[in-house]
Every structure is written in C-alpha cells, then in structure tokens.
Amino acid sequence: MTITLPVVLVLGTCTVAAVKFLGIRLWVAALIALFGFYLAGTFIAPAINETTKSGVDIVNHTQNK
C-alpha cells in the first residue's frame, strides 16, 4: 500500500510538534519559515530542491530517471 504525503504537511507537523513538545517559541518557527521563503528566491534554491528530491527517493527506495 502506498501513502502519499506532501513534504509541506510533514514539515508542518514537525513544526507543530517542536513548538508544543520541545518548547520552541512560535516566533522562532515563523522566523525560520520566513528565512525559507527568502532562501527559495536565491541561487541555492535548485540545489535545495534536488537534495530534497534525493532524500525522498532514498526514503522511498526509488530512483529519479
């Protein structure tokens, strides 16, 4: 059985858990999210995208062709 989850949903759940259980302040999580939005507009965004895809492929035991 295959379950499909968007990466945003997984990261959002991790963020909520970190705020609730680890005591991370909400403004720190918001600041990190804002940093991610600004980072997406830079020259390093394609490298981050490819690294994320490679990590998902490793977890799913698949290969990009």
Side-chain angles (χ1 to χ4, degrees):
M1 180 168 78
T2 302
I3 298 174
T4 304
L5 290 174
V7 175
V8 173
L9 180 66
V10 174
L11 292 176
T13 304
C14 290
T15 302
V16 169
V19 169
K20 186 171 184 175
F21 299 117
L22 297 178
I24 295 175
R25 306 253 182 195
L26 187 58
W27 68 268
V28 174
L31 187 66
I32 292 170
L34 184 62
F35 175 71
F37 282 117
Y38 282 116
L39 192 61
T42 65
F43 68 94
I44 201 159
I48 294 170
N49 192 25
E50 284 299 317
T51 303
T52 303
K53 285 181 182 179
S54 297
V56 170
D57 287 342
I58 289 170
V59 169
N60 290 333
H61 303 292
T62 59
Q63 292 181 353
N64 258 346
K65 290 187 179 186

